Amino acid sequence: MTDESGESETGTRSGIDDRLAGIRTDTRQRRLALGAAIVLGLGAVALHWVGLFAAGALVGLTRRSLPRALAAGLAFGMLVLAVFFVATPVISPGNVLVLAPLSYVTVGIALVGPVWGALVRGVV
């Protein structure tokens, strides 16, 4: 299948794969891409909780392997929780336990969402 410019879908996908491979092999580019993914991800999370999945995908795509992508997704989830506790000073980590089981859902989604999103690294 070709698009209007005459490029095939496999040619476009190959270009994306080449760019991602370049980012993953160069340490400087990987760190810059990870920083951009974190900033974009935090912005997406601030807008909607589905941003956790998108942020996990962005962070995961910068990693060299699937296990590293999953670890990066988990680390991003922990960062989101830390930002949540800093941004809402009324709720301290000790008070979150009082709000159970709602707090368990909050922590679970914050940790599982980005890891689930990082699974996209296994496809790309």
Side-chain angles (χ1 to χ4, degrees), residues 16-80:
I16 293 171
D17 289 342
D18 291 342
R19 286 187 204 140
L20 287 174
I23 288 172
R24 292 176 186 142
T25 55
D26 184 20
T27 304
R28 183 173 178 268
Q29 285 185 0
R30 188 173 61 246
R31 287 183 181 164
L32 287 172
L34 179 62
I38 289 171
V39 170
L40 288 172
L42 287 174
V45 169
L47 296 175
H48 197 273
W49 63 267
V50 176
L52 288 165
F53 299 103
L58 289 173
V59 170
L61 286 174
T62 65
R63 304 292 88 197
R64 292 182 186 173
S65 64
L66 181 59
R68 289 181 182 196
L70 297 176
L74 183 63
F76 182 81
M78 290 188 291
L79 174 66
V80 167

Side-chain angles (χ1 to χ4, degrees), residues 45 49 51-53 55-57 69-85 103-119:
V45 169
W49 63 267
L52 288 165
F53 299 103
L70 297 176
L74 183 63
F76 182 81
M78 290 188 291
L79 174 66
V80 167
L81 282 176
V83 169
F84 171 73
F85 288 127
S103 62
Y104 300 151
V105 173
T106 302
V107 171
I109 289 175
L111 295 178
V112 173
V115 173
W116 195 356
L119 285 171

